[in-house]
Amino acid sequence: MNIRIVLVLVSLVLSLVTGIVLSRGGSSGSTAKGKAKGKVVIGFSMDTLKEERWQADKRMFTEKAEALGAEVLVQSANSDDVRQVQDIEALISRNVDVLVIIPHNAEAMATGVEKAHQVGIPVISYDRLIKNADVDLYISFDNYRVGEEQAKALVALLPGGKGKIIRIYGAKTDNNAAQFKEGQDRIILPLVKSGDIQVIHEDWTEGWKPENAKRITQAAIAAHGTSFDGILASNDGTAGGAIQTLTEEGLAGKIPVTGQDAELSACQRIIAGTQAMTIYKPIHVIATAAAGLAVDLARRKPIIARTAVPNGKGDIPTNFLDIQVVTKDNMRDTIIRDNYHPEAEVYKGAAK
Ligand code: BGC
Protein backbone atom coordinates (compact mmCIF):
# COMPACT_ATOMS: atom_id res chain seq x y z
CA MET A 1 0.00 0.00 0.00
CA ASN A 2 1.09 3.56 -0.59
CA ILE A 3 0.75 4.42 3.06
CA ARG A 4 3.58 2.11 3.98
CA ILE A 5 5.96 3.82 1.58
CA VAL A 6 5.04 7.17 3.08
CA LEU A 7 5.74 5.82 6.53
CA VAL A 8 9.17 4.55 5.64
CA LEU A 9 10.14 7.68 3.74
CA VAL A 10 9.01 10.02 6.48
CA SER A 11 10.80 7.87 9.00
CA LEU A 12 14.03 7.80 7.01
CA VAL A 13 14.07 11.52 6.29
CA LEU A 14 13.52 12.42 9.91
CA SER A 15 16.03 9.81 11.06
CA LEU A 16 18.65 11.50 8.95
CA VAL A 17 17.83 14.93 10.28
CA THR A 18 17.28 14.18 13.96
CA GLY A 19 18.62 10.69 14.49
CA ILE A 20 15.38 9.73 16.15
CA VAL A 21 11.83 10.04 15.01
CA LEU A 22 9.30 10.87 17.64
CA SER A 23 6.72 13.26 16.33
CA ARG A 24 4.16 13.13 13.59
CA GLY A 25 2.29 15.63 11.48
CA GLY A 26 1.87 16.88 7.91
CA SER A 27 -0.19 15.13 5.30
CA SER A 28 0.07 11.77 3.67
CA GLY A 29 0.70 11.30 -0.02
CA SER A 30 -1.35 8.13 0.03
CA THR A 31 -3.86 7.59 -2.72
CA ALA A 32 -5.75 4.95 -0.74
CA LYS A 33 -9.23 6.01 0.31
CA GLY A 34 -9.21 7.51 3.78
CA LYS A 35 -11.85 8.80 6.10
CA ALA A 36 -11.42 12.55 6.40
CA LYS A 37 -14.69 13.01 8.29
CA GLY A 38 -17.27 10.86 10.07
CA LYS A 39 -16.87 8.14 12.63
CA VAL A 40 -13.86 5.87 12.17
CA VAL A 41 -14.67 2.17 12.47
CA ILE A 42 -11.80 -0.05 13.60
CA GLY A 43 -11.81 -3.82 13.12
CA PHE A 44 -9.82 -5.53 15.89
CA SER A 45 -9.05 -9.16 15.10
CA MET A 46 -7.57 -10.95 18.10
CA ASP A 47 -5.99 -14.40 18.25
CA THR A 48 -7.34 -15.24 21.68
CA LEU A 49 -8.66 -13.82 24.93
CA LYS A 50 -7.25 -16.73 26.93
CA GLU A 51 -4.33 -15.08 28.67
CA GLU A 52 -5.17 -12.33 31.13
CA ARG A 53 -3.19 -9.72 29.17
CA TRP A 54 -5.33 -10.01 26.01
CA GLN A 55 -8.46 -9.13 27.97
CA ALA A 56 -6.68 -5.97 29.12
CA ASP A 57 -5.57 -5.24 25.54
CA LYS A 58 -9.17 -5.53 24.34
CA ARG A 59 -10.61 -3.34 27.08
CA MET A 60 -7.97 -0.63 26.99
CA PHE A 61 -7.79 -0.47 23.20
CA THR A 62 -11.56 -0.13 22.93
CA GLU A 63 -11.76 2.49 25.67
CA LYS A 64 -9.10 4.64 24.04
CA ALA A 65 -10.52 4.30 20.53
CA GLU A 66 -14.00 5.22 21.79
CA ALA A 67 -12.57 8.20 23.65
CA LEU A 68 -11.13 9.29 20.29
CA GLY A 69 -14.62 9.05 18.77
CA ALA A 70 -14.08 5.75 16.93
CA GLU A 71 -16.10 2.55 17.04
CA VAL A 72 -14.37 -0.80 17.54
CA LEU A 73 -15.63 -4.14 16.24
CA VAL A 74 -13.79 -6.97 18.02
CA GLN A 75 -13.43 -10.60 16.95
CA SER A 76 -11.47 -13.27 18.79
CA ALA A 77 -10.46 -16.39 16.86
CA ASN A 78 -9.83 -18.80 19.73
CA SER A 79 -6.36 -19.68 18.35
CA ASP A 80 -7.79 -20.92 15.06
CA ASP A 81 -6.27 -19.68 11.77
CA VAL A 82 -9.29 -20.50 9.62
CA ARG A 83 -11.54 -18.68 12.04
CA GLN A 84 -9.23 -15.67 12.18
CA VAL A 85 -9.32 -15.28 8.38
CA GLN A 86 -13.13 -15.54 8.54
CA ASP A 87 -13.17 -12.91 11.30
CA ILE A 88 -11.12 -10.59 9.11
CA GLU A 89 -13.44 -11.18 6.15
CA ALA A 90 -16.42 -10.39 8.36
CA LEU A 91 -14.80 -7.16 9.57
CA ILE A 92 -13.97 -6.15 5.99
CA SER A 93 -17.56 -6.78 4.95
CA ARG A 94 -18.67 -4.44 7.74
CA ASN A 95 -16.69 -1.65 6.05
CA VAL A 96 -14.10 -1.02 8.72
CA ASP A 97 -11.73 1.85 7.94
CA VAL A 98 -8.66 0.17 9.42
CA LEU A 99 -7.79 -3.30 10.67
CA VAL A 100 -5.75 -4.08 13.78
CA ILE A 101 -4.65 -7.72 13.86
CA ILE A 102 -3.08 -9.82 16.60
CA PRO A 103 -2.20 -12.88 14.52
CA HIS A 104 -2.45 -16.38 15.93
CA ASN A 105 -0.12 -17.50 13.18
CA ALA A 106 2.44 -15.07 11.82
CA GLU A 107 2.52 -16.71 8.38
CA ALA A 108 -1.13 -17.62 7.94
CA MET A 109 -2.40 -14.12 8.60
CA ALA A 110 -0.68 -12.70 5.48
CA THR A 111 -3.92 -13.68 3.75
CA GLY A 112 -5.86 -11.33 6.00
CA VAL A 113 -3.54 -8.44 5.10
CA GLU A 114 -3.93 -9.16 1.38
CA LYS A 115 -7.71 -9.25 1.65
CA ALA A 116 -7.78 -5.95 3.50
CA HIS A 117 -5.42 -4.27 1.07
CA GLN A 118 -7.46 -5.43 -1.91
CA VAL A 119 -10.20 -3.07 -0.71
CA GLY A 120 -7.85 -0.29 0.48
CA ILE A 121 -7.98 -0.99 4.23
CA PRO A 122 -4.68 -0.39 6.05
CA VAL A 123 -3.47 -2.96 8.58
CA ILE A 124 -1.66 -2.63 11.90
CA SER A 125 0.08 -5.72 13.26
CA TYR A 126 -0.51 -5.49 17.01
CA ASP A 127 2.03 -6.98 19.42
CA ARG A 128 2.83 -9.83 17.02
CA LEU A 129 4.29 -9.35 13.57
CA ILE A 130 2.52 -10.79 10.54
CA LYS A 131 5.15 -12.32 8.27
CA ASN A 132 5.44 -12.12 4.47
CA ALA A 133 2.82 -9.42 4.13
CA ASP A 134 2.80 -5.75 3.28
CA VAL A 135 1.78 -4.69 6.80
CA ASP A 136 1.39 -0.90 7.16
CA LEU A 137 2.62 -0.64 10.73
CA TYR A 138 3.84 -2.91 13.50
CA ILE A 139 3.58 -1.92 17.15
CA SER A 140 4.91 -4.07 19.93
CA PHE A 141 7.08 -4.15 23.00
CA ASP A 142 10.77 -4.70 22.46
CA ASN A 143 10.55 -8.47 22.29
CA TYR A 144 14.28 -8.98 21.84
CA ARG A 145 14.88 -7.06 25.07
CA VAL A 146 12.24 -9.19 26.80
CA GLY A 147 14.30 -12.28 25.96
CA GLU A 148 17.57 -10.64 26.98
CA GLU A 149 16.21 -9.54 30.35
CA GLN A 150 14.71 -12.97 31.07
CA ALA A 151 18.05 -14.62 30.34
CA LYS A 152 20.10 -12.07 32.30
CA ALA A 153 17.82 -12.47 35.32
CA LEU A 154 18.12 -16.25 35.22
CA VAL A 155 21.91 -16.25 34.83
CA ALA A 156 22.20 -13.84 37.78
CA LEU A 157 20.38 -16.40 39.92
CA LEU A 158 22.49 -19.42 38.97
CA PRO A 159 25.19 -20.39 41.45
CA GLY A 160 28.26 -18.43 40.30
CA GLY A 161 26.38 -17.62 37.08
CA LYS A 162 26.83 -21.23 35.99
CA GLY A 163 24.68 -24.31 35.74
CA LYS A 164 22.26 -26.54 33.87
CA ILE A 165 19.06 -25.04 32.54
CA ILE A 166 15.83 -26.00 30.81
CA ARG A 167 14.59 -23.66 28.07
CA ILE A 168 10.87 -23.40 27.36
CA TYR A 169 10.04 -21.36 24.28
CA GLY A 170 6.63 -20.05 23.21
CA ALA A 171 4.43 -21.15 20.31
CA LYS A 172 6.31 -21.78 17.08
CA THR A 173 3.50 -20.09 15.16
CA ASP A 174 4.06 -16.79 17.02
CA ASN A 175 6.82 -14.57 15.68
CA ASN A 176 7.21 -13.04 19.14
CA ALA A 177 8.27 -16.42 20.48
CA ALA A 178 11.15 -16.41 17.98
CA GLN A 179 12.07 -12.84 18.97
CA PHE A 180 12.06 -13.77 22.69
CA LYS A 181 14.29 -16.75 21.92
CA GLU A 182 16.66 -14.63 19.86
CA GLY A 183 16.98 -12.14 22.72
CA GLN A 184 17.64 -15.00 25.16
CA ASP A 185 20.20 -16.52 22.78
CA ARG A 186 22.23 -13.30 22.83
CA ILE A 187 22.89 -13.88 26.54
CA ILE A 188 22.81 -17.68 26.76
CA LEU A 189 24.73 -18.85 23.70
CA PRO A 190 28.08 -17.21 24.62
CA LEU A 191 27.78 -18.86 28.06
CA VAL A 192 27.03 -22.21 26.46
CA LYS A 193 30.12 -21.73 24.32
CA SER A 194 32.28 -20.90 27.33
CA GLY A 195 30.95 -23.97 29.13
CA ASP A 196 29.32 -22.00 31.96
CA ILE A 197 25.83 -23.03 30.96
CA GLN A 198 24.49 -26.31 29.74
CA VAL A 199 21.02 -26.47 28.21
CA ILE A 200 19.85 -29.94 29.22
CA HIS A 201 16.43 -29.72 27.56
CA GLU A 202 14.63 -27.24 25.30
CA ASP A 203 11.30 -27.22 23.50
CA TRP A 204 8.60 -25.04 21.96
CA THR A 205 5.25 -24.82 23.75
CA GLU A 206 2.43 -25.57 21.34
CA GLY A 207 -0.22 -22.86 21.62
CA TRP A 208 1.66 -21.27 24.56
CA LYS A 209 -0.39 -23.66 26.74
CA PRO A 210 0.69 -24.03 30.39
CA GLU A 211 -0.16 -27.75 30.33
CA ASN A 212 2.34 -28.22 27.46
CA ALA A 213 5.03 -26.36 29.42
CA LYS A 214 4.27 -28.66 32.33
CA ARG A 215 4.80 -31.66 30.04
CA ILE A 216 8.08 -30.21 28.71
CA THR A 217 9.37 -29.88 32.28
CA GLN A 218 8.25 -33.44 33.08
CA ALA A 219 10.03 -34.71 29.96
CA ALA A 220 13.21 -32.87 31.00
CA ILE A 221 13.10 -34.46 34.44
CA ALA A 222 12.33 -37.90 33.01
CA ALA A 223 15.40 -37.66 30.77
CA HIS A 224 17.87 -35.86 33.04
CA GLY A 225 16.62 -36.05 36.63
CA THR A 226 16.22 -33.06 38.89
CA SER A 227 19.79 -31.84 39.04
CA PHE A 228 19.29 -28.64 37.08
CA ASP A 229 19.58 -25.04 38.24
CA GLY A 230 17.03 -22.94 36.42
CA ILE A 231 14.15 -22.77 33.94
CA LEU A 232 14.11 -20.11 31.26
CA ALA A 233 10.36 -19.95 30.57
CA SER A 234 9.16 -17.44 27.98
CA ASN A 235 5.97 -16.18 29.63
CA ASP A 236 3.96 -16.47 32.82
CA GLY A 237 1.66 -19.14 31.42
CA THR A 238 4.56 -21.44 30.59
CA ALA A 239 6.27 -20.53 33.88
CA GLY A 240 3.08 -21.55 35.70
CA GLY A 241 3.08 -24.94 33.93
CA ALA A 242 6.75 -25.52 34.74
CA ILE A 243 6.22 -24.53 38.38
CA GLN A 244 3.39 -27.07 38.70
CA THR A 245 5.88 -29.79 37.81
CA LEU A 246 8.47 -28.33 40.21
CA THR A 247 5.82 -28.33 42.95
CA GLU A 248 5.08 -32.01 42.30
CA GLU A 249 8.82 -32.70 42.61
CA GLY A 250 9.16 -30.66 45.82
CA LEU A 251 11.38 -28.17 44.00
CA ALA A 252 9.17 -25.08 43.74
CA GLY A 253 11.03 -22.07 45.17
CA LYS A 254 14.35 -23.87 44.93
CA ILE A 255 14.82 -23.50 41.17
CA PRO A 256 14.50 -20.03 39.62
CA VAL A 257 11.91 -19.72 36.84
CA THR A 258 11.47 -16.71 34.55
CA GLY A 259 8.27 -15.33 33.05
CA GLN A 260 6.61 -12.50 31.19
CA ASP A 261 3.32 -10.54 31.26
CA ALA A 262 3.04 -9.73 34.97
CA GLU A 263 -0.12 -11.82 35.25
CA LEU A 264 -1.70 -11.62 38.70
CA SER A 265 -0.95 -15.29 39.42
CA ALA A 266 2.70 -14.75 38.41
CA CYS A 267 3.02 -11.68 40.64
CA GLN A 268 1.62 -13.78 43.50
CA ARG A 269 4.15 -16.54 42.75
CA ILE A 270 6.95 -13.96 42.77
CA ILE A 271 5.87 -12.77 46.21
CA ALA A 272 5.56 -16.40 47.34
CA GLY A 273 9.07 -17.10 45.98
CA THR A 274 8.19 -19.80 43.45
CA GLN A 275 8.78 -17.61 40.38
CA ALA A 276 11.89 -15.43 40.14
CA MET A 277 10.75 -12.64 37.85
CA THR A 278 8.36 -11.49 35.19
CA ILE A 279 8.44 -8.86 32.48
CA TYR A 280 5.94 -6.05 32.87
CA LYS A 281 4.64 -4.77 29.56
CA PRO A 282 2.25 -1.93 30.43
CA ILE A 283 -0.75 -2.88 28.32
CA HIS A 284 -2.31 0.58 28.53
CA VAL A 285 0.75 1.93 26.67
CA ILE A 286 0.45 -0.38 23.66
CA ALA A 287 -3.35 -0.32 23.65
CA THR A 288 -3.68 3.46 23.75
CA ALA A 289 -0.83 4.02 21.28
CA ALA A 290 -2.31 1.50 18.84
CA ALA A 291 -5.80 3.00 19.13
CA GLY A 292 -4.42 6.45 18.31
CA LEU A 293 -2.39 5.12 15.39
CA ALA A 294 -5.39 3.20 14.04
CA VAL A 295 -7.49 6.38 14.01
CA ASP A 296 -4.65 8.32 12.35
CA LEU A 297 -4.18 5.62 9.72
CA ALA A 298 -7.91 5.56 9.00
CA ARG A 299 -7.75 9.32 8.51
CA ARG A 300 -4.62 8.91 6.39
CA LYS A 301 -2.56 11.07 8.66
CA PRO A 302 1.17 10.33 8.38
CA ILE A 303 2.59 8.05 11.01
CA ILE A 304 6.15 8.24 12.20
CA ALA A 305 7.73 4.89 12.94
CA ARG A 306 10.91 4.79 15.02
CA THR A 307 12.39 1.71 13.46
CA ALA A 308 11.72 -0.99 10.88
CA VAL A 309 11.64 -4.75 11.22
CA PRO A 310 12.00 -7.18 8.31
CA ASN A 311 9.08 -9.60 7.91
CA GLY A 312 10.08 -11.51 4.79
CA LYS A 313 8.23 -9.13 2.50
CA GLY A 314 10.01 -5.91 3.39
CA ASP A 315 11.00 -3.66 6.26
CA ILE A 316 7.86 -2.92 8.23
CA PRO A 317 7.64 0.48 9.98
CA THR A 318 7.71 -0.39 13.66
CA ASN A 319 7.32 1.20 17.06
CA PHE A 320 8.77 -0.83 19.93
CA LEU A 321 7.69 0.08 23.45
CA ASP A 322 9.69 -0.25 26.62
CA ILE A 323 9.47 -3.10 29.13
CA GLN A 324 10.37 -3.52 32.79
CA VAL A 325 11.80 -6.40 34.80
CA VAL A 326 9.72 -7.16 37.90
CA THR A 327 10.97 -9.04 40.93
CA LYS A 328 9.91 -9.21 44.56
CA ASP A 329 12.10 -6.13 45.20
CA ASN A 330 10.42 -3.71 42.81
CA MET A 331 6.86 -5.09 42.80
CA ARG A 332 5.58 -2.04 44.66
CA ASP A 333 7.42 0.42 42.38
CA THR A 334 6.01 -1.12 39.20
CA ILE A 335 2.87 -3.24 39.31
CA ILE A 336 1.39 -1.72 42.46
CA ARG A 337 2.38 1.85 41.60
CA ASP A 338 0.69 1.57 38.19
CA ASN A 339 -2.30 -0.14 39.82
CA TYR A 340 -1.82 -2.92 37.26
CA HIS A 341 -3.02 -5.29 39.99
CA PRO A 342 -4.35 -4.29 43.39
CA GLU A 343 -1.83 -4.58 46.21
CA ALA A 344 -4.24 -6.66 48.30
CA GLU A 345 -4.46 -9.25 45.51
CA VAL A 346 -0.73 -9.43 44.75
CA TYR A 347 0.15 -9.89 48.42
CA LYS A 348 -2.83 -12.11 49.22
CA GLY A 349 -1.64 -15.02 51.33
CA ALA A 350 1.86 -13.55 51.67
CA ALA A 351 3.54 -13.71 55.04
CA LYS A 352 3.62 -10.27 56.64
C1 BGC B 1 2.85 -12.11 23.73
C2 BGC B 1 3.00 -12.48 25.18
C3 BGC B 1 2.02 -13.60 25.52
C4 BGC B 1 2.09 -14.74 24.51
C5 BGC B 1 0.99 -15.76 24.74
C6 BGC B 1 3.00 -13.34 22.87
O1 BGC B 1 2.89 -13.03 21.53
O2 BGC B 1 3.82 -11.12 23.37
O3 BGC B 1 2.75 -11.33 25.98
O4 BGC B 1 2.29 -14.12 26.78
O5 BGC B 1 1.96 -14.24 23.20
O6 BGC B 1 -0.26 -15.24 24.50
Side-chain angles (χ1 to χ4, degrees):
M1 269 195 122
N2 281 350
I3 301 165
R4 193 169 83 73
I5 297 166
V6 170
L7 296 179
V8 175
L9 285 181
V10 173
S11 165
L12 282 181
V13 169
L14 285 186
S15 301
L16 288 175
V17 175
T18 63
I20 185 158
V21 182
L22 292 168
S23 61
R24 54 200 157 99
S27 69
S28 159
S30 169
T31 52
K33 72 178 167 69
K35 190 165 231 178
K37 293 201 189 95
K39 195 171 202 160
V40 164
V41 183
I42 305 171
F44 193 18
S45 165
M46 306 185 71
D47 162 23
T48 174
L49 284 167
K50 216 171 33 204
E51 280 97 355
E52 189 181 285
R53 69 152 289 186
W54 302 121
Q55 294 162 28
D57 286 275
K58 178 185 170 193
R59 178 169 46 82
M60 292 175 182
F61 179 88
T62 305
E63 276 170 12
K64 179 64 182 180
E66 286 176 356
L68 293 171
E71 182 186 349
V72 186
L73 307 176
V74 185
Q75 300 275 9
S76 173
N78 202 18
S79 308
D80 180 331
D81 292 336
V82 175
R83 174 147 168 213
Q84 190 160 25
V85 173
Q86 285 167 353
D87 286 348
I88 290 169
E89 284 169 343
L91 291 168
I92 292 171
S93 71
R94 290 181 70 184
N95 288 323
V96 295
D97 301 299
V98 55
L99 261 175
V100 178
I101 302 178
I102 307 172
H104 167 62
N105 184 317
E107 306 277 346
M109 242 11 72
T111 312
V113 179
E114 267 168 42
K115 285 178 190 283
H117 280 181
Q118 275 160 15
V119 287
I121 299 172
V123 177
I124 296 178
S125 211
Y126 181 110
D127 195 71
R128 298 175 176 169
L129 184 59
I130 301 170
K131 302 286 292 286
N132 298 314
D134 199 13
V135 174
D136 296 284
L137 184 70
Y138 171 41
I139 182 162
S140 187
F141 293 95
D142 187 339
N143 297 312
Y144 299 102
R145 227 199 111 210
V146 169
E148 283 174 13
E149 295 298 338
Q150 290 171 326
K152 279 189 209 163
L154 188 71
V155 172
L157 291 168
L158 300 178
K162 299 179 183 182
K164 295 179 184 168
I165 65 167
I166 297 170
R167 295 186 65 180
I168 304 180
Y169 312 126
K172 251 194 182 153
T173 48
D174 176 3
N175 189 62
N176 282 4
Q179 292 180 338
F180 302 141
K181 178 179 183 301
E182 196 179 321
Q184 295 168 2
D185 284 350
R186 290 177 191 165
I187 307 298
I188 298 296
L189 295 188
L191 295 169
V192 168
K193 213 168 165 196
S194 69
D196 285 352
I197 285 190
Q198 198 191 335
V199 179
I200 59 160
H201 192 89
E202 60 190 320
D203 208 348
W204 298 83
T205 310
E206 201 242 303
W208 281 105
K209 289 191 188 130
E211 56 268 33
N212 291 336
K214 185 177 176 191
R215 274 196 283 273
I216 291 169
T217 316
Q218 283 166 342
I221 291 174
H224 304 279
T226 54
S227 62
F228 54 90
D229 308 287
I231 302 184
L232 188 52
S234 292
N235 78 345
D236 288 340
T238 52
I243 291 166
Q244 276 181 32
T245 301
L246 292 183
T247 304
E248 287 164 11
E249 298 286 337
L251 288 173
K254 296 181 183 149
I255 305 267
V257 182
T258 60
Q260 163 183 201
D261 285 339
E263 286 190 354
L264 176 59
S265 54
C267 292
Q268 291 168 335
R269 287 194 296 264
I270 289 172
I271 297 305
T274 54
Q275 185 170 324
M277 58 83 75
T278 187
I279 300 284
Y280 173 42
K281 305 194 292 190
I283 300 302
H284 67 276
V285 176
I286 188 170
T288 54
L293 290 165
V295 171
D296 284 352
L297 261 188
R299 300 233 186 265
R300 300 298 184 267
K301 289 192 186 160
I303 309 291
I304 304 301
R306 284 177 212 155
T307 185
V309 168
N311 78 338
K313 179 90 176 186
D315 289 333
I316 306 302
T318 298
N319 283 334
F320 273 146
L321 305 165
D322 217 2
I323 54 125
Q324 255 179 307
V325 173
V326 173
T327 62
K328 204 183 265 196
D329 292 342
N330 69 348
M331 184 69 72
R332 287 187 198 279
D333 297 331
T334 52
I335 302 302
I336 309 298
R337 184 201 59 203
D338 277 14
N339 206 16
Y340 194 63
H341 300 302
E343 183 172 1
E345 288 294 320
V346 171
Y347 289 88
K348 195 155 96 184
K352 285 268 175 296

